[in-house]
Amino acid sequence: MAAMTLLNPGHLLLKRRNDEPSWDKQSNYFVHGLREIRTKVLASAPPHQLNRAYELLLRAAAIELQRHLSLLDDTSLKTNLVLVRSAGKIEVVARSRPGSPIGIHYTHKPSGLAASRAMMENKTVVATKIRDLSGHEHKPYNTVVATPICDGVQAFGAMTADSAESGAFAGREEAIDRILRPYAAIILLTLPESARWVHCKDRWK
């Protein structure tokens, strides 16, 4: 008879804690992202020079979301920044994962991406079952959450997160909104007066 292996709950909990990204790491990304932004803004840097700062903030946001949502696999979640480029187009300008493609344009429309819906409603929006959509069958993620970057009735873009775990975000919109809104506010401060925007609801009149 084969010997039974008893699981040690304490060992599993310790392993889980050791595998989780630390708050120090998240804070480090956040602080360095702010420092990069302050340097570039004071120097009146063009927007494309802020990409490194955006990437750092997106990494910090990804870690905060991963810990809050108890996602053990840090490869299952990625954060992204999309900005308005024209009345009908939004563009992915930065991602938390180095090497992931940027410069991708999407159509902005009411029935479109989670980012578009979040921008128009000025609230955090979750989209699920992404792989069920035509043309998305082979996407590495199956759910997306988006929090808008807004000022009054002007929506300049959105921060999004995607995950392979289909139930990662559903029902957690309020908590995710509280996490991502401060990052969105920081990014808003970096945008020039000439930044493109689309109309959104004003939730805080």
Side-chain angles (χ1 to χ4, degrees):
M1 182 175 177
M4 294 180 61
T5 302
L6 297 178
L7 296 177
N8 183 334
H11 173 75
L12 293 177
L13 181 59
L14 181 61
K15 183 180 186 303
R16 173 176 173 175
R17 288 176 177 171
N18 289 339
D19 289 343
E20 291 178 344
S22 68
W23 283 116
D24 287 342
K25 187 175 182 180
Q26 183 266 339
S27 299
N28 185 57
Y29 283 139
F30 192 86
V31 168
H32 280 80
L34 284 177
R35 189 173 299 158
E36 285 273 337
I37 284 175
R38 187 168 186 272
T39 300
K40 299 299 186 300
V41 170
L42 290 176
S44 299
H48 71 271
Q49 291 188 12
L50 286 161
N51 286 357
R52 172 60 177 164
Y54 292 155
E55 183 181 301
L56 289 168
L57 289 177
L58 289 171
R59 289 190 196 179
I63 289 175
E64 192 167 354
L65 284 173
Q66 181 192 338
R67 290 180 62 93
H68 183 84
L69 302 176
S70 299
L71 301 176
L72 299 184
D73 181 5
D74 61 5
T75 65
S76 72
L77 185 144
K78 179 174 83 278
T79 47
N80 319 278
L81 172 62
V82 299
L83 294 176
V84 175
R85 287 306 184 223
S86 67
K89 294 289 182 182
I90 56 178
E91 179 188 1
V92 180
V93 299
R95 298 188 191 271
S96 61
R97 195 171 296 160
S100 296
I102 59 175
I104 301 172
H105 290 79
Y106 294 99
T107 300
H108 173 65
K109 56 184 180 180
S111 60
L113 302 171
S116 287
R117 290 187 281 125
M119 289 160 56
M120 297 182 74
E121 294 294 323
N122 195 358
K123 69 178 184 180
T124 292
V125 169
V126 171
T128 58
K129 299 181 179 179
I130 302 298
R131 295 191 190 114
D132 290 349
L133 301 176
S134 177
H136 291 69
E137 296 86 352
H138 303 294
K139 289 288 187 181
Y141 54 87
N142 202 29
T143 185
V144 175
V145 63
T147 296
I149 300 170
C150 296
D151 183 11
V153 295
Q154 298 177 328
F156 297 91
M159 289 185 67
T160 73
D162 53 66
S163 175
E165 299 184 27
S166 58
F169 309 133
R172 302 176 178 181
E173 290 88 344
E174 185 176 336
I176 293 171
D177 190 90
R178 288 199 302 268
I179 291 171
L180 293 184
R181 284 281 183 175
Y183 293 97
I186 292 167
I187 291 170
L188 177 64
L189 294 176
T190 72
L191 302 179
E193 289 187 64
S194 60
R196 298 290 186 91
W197 56 274
V198 295
H199 190 273
C200 69
K201 292 182 178 180
D202 188 355
R203 293 180 57 199
W204 296 278
K205 296 181 179 180

